[in-house]
Amino acid sequence: MSAAPPPPPAAERVFSTHLSTAILFAEQLCTRGVERGLVGPREPERIWERHLLSSAAVAELVPAGQEVVDLGSGAGLPGIPIALARPDLEVTLVEPMLRRVRFLEETVGLLGLSVGVRRARAQELPAARCQIVVARALAPLSELVSMAVPLLRPGGVLLAVKGDRAEAELQDSAAALAAWPDLHVSLDVCGEADHTVRVVRIARPAEKVEER
């Protein structure tokens, strides 16, 4: 196990008054996260750029005061960095594996965060209830669409964090997206420098209000 490296200058700007909590989270990932197999042994040296800052960058796409569900949260990424960068958001971490859920519960308690933790699979969540669903390294986009879109309420958004293959995954998922003809799909770039991420944004249309 390795101690987390010091935060880069960008971390203070991103996490602001929650920087000390972000540092504690980085230490948790680099020690207990590695020990429990939730974080790879080579990840501590790039824990800030590759994990915390790139996760927090997704918050740029979330409107104020929204409820955010981190689907398949794993070690709390991107949900916990989003909550640290945007304390106005209501974040819930959803994870089916018990050992990961225990890590998430311990970590949320250690950090003193008002973040929910729920043990569940996507299929076990209520349909059409989520405002914002975020997912990072959970599944190929073609699978993620059928998994996450049913959870979105009208006007809800899925933010799928992808890497350099984002455009290729969009092409590969054309058939899956065609099953939802009313969806609006776009490709966004968030963050900067070493923590830039590409996010496929999939939005369900809001219900139209009939005029009387």
Side-chain angles (χ1 to χ4, degrees):
M1 295 184 293
S2 302
E12 183 173 2
R13 181 175 68 255
V14 170
F15 296 113
S16 185
T17 57
H18 290 84
L19 178 60
S20 60
T21 309
I23 292 172
L24 185 57
F25 180 45
E27 290 291 342
Q28 179 82 342
L29 292 174
C30 293
T31 54
R32 293 182 177 87
V34 173
E35 180 182 299
R36 299 187 186 185
L38 277 71
V39 177
R42 297 183 180 179
E43 296 307 303
E45 63 187 36
R46 51 186 183 180
I47 201 71
W48 286 100
E49 287 79 5
R50 183 179 175 86
H51 298 288
L52 273 73
L53 289 171
S54 64
S55 292
V58 182
E60 298 174 16
L61 301 178
V62 182
Q66 296 286 291
E67 298 175 4
V68 178
V69 172
D70 178 9
L71 198 60
S73 185
L77 302 166
I80 290 179
I82 289 174
L84 291 172
R86 290 284 304 281
D88 62 297
L89 302 177
E90 183 178 331
V91 177
T92 301
L93 313 176
V94 176
E95 169 58 46
M97 294 185 64
L98 180 58
R99 67 183 181 88
R100 293 177 179 175
V101 169
R102 286 175 174 166
F103 175 83
L104 292 174
E105 291 173 340
E106 291 171 9
T107 300
V108 167
L110 175 69
L111 302 181
L113 295 177
S114 297
V115 170
V117 178
R118 178 171 180 178
R119 186 185 181 191
R121 300 182 183 277
Q123 299 87 338
E124 298 168 340
L125 298 177
R129 295 285 187 87
C130 298
Q131 292 179 324
I132 306 288
V133 173
V134 297
R136 178 181 187 261
L138 177 59
L141 190 60
S142 58
E143 298 177 20
L144 185 60
V145 169
S146 60
M147 186 187 308
V149 168
L151 304 178
L152 300 177
R153 63 177 62 174
V157 179
L158 165 64
L159 301 175
V161 185
K162 296 294 178 180
D164 294 337
R165 292 198 72 256
E167 292 184 29
E169 282 205 40
L170 271 175
Q171 295 177 1
D172 294 342
S173 63
L177 289 168
W180 306 86
D182 293 333
L183 295 179
H184 175 72
V185 183
S186 63
L187 184 60
D188 297 87
V189 178
C190 309
E192 58 189 54
D194 293 334
H195 58 277
T196 298
V197 293
R198 292 157 68 83
V199 178
V200 178
R201 175 165 38 182
I202 300 175
R204 297 197 79 165
E207 290 179 335
K208 294 183 179 179
V209 178
E210 295 184 2
E211 296 183 359
R212 296 184 178 182

